[in-house]
Amino acid sequence: MNRRDFIAGTATGLVVGAAGTYAALKGGKQQTASGPAVVKNKLEWRMVTSWPDKFPGLGTSADRLAARITAMSDGRLTVKVFAAGTMVPPLGVFDAVSQGSAEMGHTSAYYYQGKSKAFNFFSAVPFGLTANELSAWIHYGGGQQLWDEGYAKFGLKPFYCGNTGVQMGGWFRKELKSLEDFKGLKMRMPGLGGEVLRRIGATAENTAGGEIFAALSSGRIDATEWVGPWNDLAFGFYKIAKNYYWPGFHEPGTGFECSINKAKFDALPKDLQDIVATACRAEAEAMLSEFNRHNGDALKVLIEQHGVQLRRFPDDVMTAFAKASNEVLAELESADDLTKRTYQSFKKFREEAISWAKLSEQGYLDMRQRTLRPNG
Ligand code: CA
């Protein structure tokens, strides 16, 4: 009997299989006194998310990750996705998984910066890393170890599982003429970007994605950022605010996480742990590719069908963003120990990334723009 046949015949409950063939719970042999291995071999996990059901790019990525883990494990670890609000509120994912009321969550770390400012670095920080750079720092630059350390305090094991790429600056009802226009402005912006806005005179709040449209249309907020053309088109912000600003200084490549209850993860057999890790790694690539595939055509729809005005932030605004961002990040040097060490690791990596990007991505993109589309 091969492994697949064996698993196919052991869909639920306690199963008696050939001695020494396979033991799902610990990935090794689990022989009884009488010889045959006793296998309890099917786990069903709940993945709570911060996204509306099947929301493009984010909800669909969670669905795909769940399906990938289920398929790769041949059903031994079946993951069922719960959209925001069906089991827990959109920003309640971290606590739900930490407490074990769900085994897995699909969300982004900066929503939980109230627990530690260090968590921002695993999502996005102002003037931070691009998608490629964030992946490099997490996987090869020490980021994962810091993330593991920070989340272990809450009984969680985090995996990087996606990225939106560079985000847009956001939707504004009125055109911004200068920095003065941020005074008193109420804007939705999560993470440290929100703190930067406060430094330049605005107020910022962290509204969950599915609640932004109502906040914007009621006038409770004057402006919002979300992600980029594809996602923002889906939420319909163009119906309220026509001025679409770039670039997104606050989220140059936002990372997403599959966080897992650590006790549940540690109890998995090694092969299922590897399947979860590998599925997350694969899905990280899939999410970014999908965003890059759809943002360009969604941008055309926004401009050509919905009359959206693309606008670059005024120079004095970008200068103020940079100054305030530097201040906000520098203050993390005196935050808690984990945040300080995470910031220092990030800062060192960013310095090297800036030097390399100038010659590589940035150098190439500048050349491509100048030579192929010199007029924009
Ligand atoms: Ca965003």
Side-chain angles (χ1 to χ4, degrees):
M1 186 184 288
N2 67 28
R3 174 177 149 150
R4 183 167 293 270
D5 290 337
F6 179 80
I7 295 165
T10 60
T12 55
L14 286 165
V15 177
V16 178
T21 309
Y22 182 73
L25 278 185
K26 286 294 172 192
K29 296 173 184 176
Q30 207 176 45
Q31 293 200 336
T32 64
S34 58
V38 177
V39 181
K40 182 181 178 185
N41 83 329
K42 186 170 179 182
L43 293 168
E44 291 190 3
W45 278 11
R46 295 156 294 183
M47 177 194 277
V48 290
T49 82
S50 297
W51 329 118
D53 189 31
K54 303 201 170 25
F55 188 76
L58 302 175
T60 52
S61 178
D63 289 343
R64 201 165 43 214
L65 177 58
R68 200 189 296 271
I69 293 169
T70 303
M72 286 175 74
S73 68
D74 213 4
R76 288 165 57 215
L77 178 53
T78 298
V79 180
K80 187 175 180 205
V81 177
F82 291 83
T86 56
M87 256 186 79
V88 296
L91 305 183
V93 170
F94 186 101
D95 285 343
V97 181
S98 173
Q99 291 155 11
S101 50
E103 292 80 14
M104 306 178 101
H106 194 282
T107 187
S108 194
Y110 63 172
Y111 292 145
Y112 313 102
Q113 66 163 339
K115 298 177 191 299
S116 171
K117 287 278 198 293
F119 295 176
N120 287 293
F121 292 96
F122 311 119
S123 296
V125 298
F127 290 81
L129 308 177
T130 64
N132 286 338
E133 291 166 353
L134 181 64
S135 176
W137 176 66
I138 286 174
H139 296 303
Y140 303 106
Q144 184 71 53
Q145 289 81 352
L146 291 158
W147 200 359
D148 284 346
E149 182 186 335
Y151 270 36
K153 291 176 188 162
F154 297 90
L156 292 169
K157 166 66 183 170
F159 287 98
Y160 176 75
C161 70
N163 200 297
T164 59
V166 181
Q167 298 201 359
M168 288 289 282
W171 299 85
F172 295 76
R173 276 206 182 79
K174 293 179 187 162
E175 185 179 351
L176 301 167
K177 301 289 189 191
S178 75
L179 188 55
E180 278 302 301
D181 292 327
F182 272 93
K183 300 278 188 297
L185 188 91
K186 285 177 287 183
M187 183 167 185
R188 184 267 180 191
M189 183 175 283
L192 294 179
E195 183 55 31
V196 170
L197 285 188
R198 290 180 202 109
R199 301 287 169 104
I200 63 169
T203 58
E205 61 170 55
N206 179 19
T207 317
E211 296 158 13
I212 300 173
F213 186 87
L216 191 64
S217 59
S218 72
R220 189 166 66 73
I221 55 175
D222 305 308
T224 186
E225 71 80 57
W226 173 232
V227 178
W230 185 34
N231 271 190
D232 295 2
L233 175 64
F235 269 156
F237 302 133
Y238 63 85
K239 294 172 191 166
I240 317 272
K242 294 288 187 191
N243 298 287
Y244 197 20
Y245 275 84
W246 65 281
F249 79 95
H250 61 303
E251 296 188 60
T254 304
F256 293 82
E257 70 184 40
C258 174
S259 47
I260 301 175
N261 182 279
K262 191 169 182 307
K264 296 278 170 61
F265 182 77
D266 290 345
L268 285 180
K270 178 69 167 58
D271 64 333
L272 287 184
Q273 290 183 344
D274 286 349
I275 282 171
V276 169
T278 304
C280 287
R281 194 80 182 254
E283 185 50 36
E285 190 280 331
M287 188 202 281
L288 181 60
S289 296
E290 202 176 22
F291 271 100
N292 282 330
R293 160 66 185 87
H294 291 296
N295 274 330
D297 54 14
L299 184 62
K300 273 182 81 171
V301 171
L302 286 169
I303 295 168
E304 294 173 8
Q305 295 180 26
H306 300 303
V308 167
Q309 294 288 314
L310 275 183
R311 300 188 193 282
R312 192 168 186 246
F313 283 121
D315 286 343
D316 67 335
V317 169
M318 288 197 284
T319 303
F321 282 158
K323 182 170 176 289
S325 297
N326 282 338
E327 288 170 9
V328 167
L329 290 179
E331 287 170 15
L332 300 181
E333 288 273 17
S334 51
D336 62 276
D337 177 61
L338 177 75
T339 301
K340 180 181 173 182
R341 285 186 289 119
T342 306
Y343 170 58
Q344 288 171 342
S345 171
F346 157 89
K347 191 166 73 166
K348 179 172 178 292
F349 182 90
R350 186 177 65 172
E351 277 307 301
E352 294 163 1
I354 288 171
S355 299
W356 172 233
K358 185 179 168 188
L359 311 179
S360 56
E361 298 274 334
Q362 185 182 348
Y364 168 71
L365 291 174
D366 284 350
M367 180 185 73
R368 187 173 73 177
Q369 184 75 31
R370 263 201 319 275
T371 53
L372 298 187
R373 295 247 310 250
N375 298 318

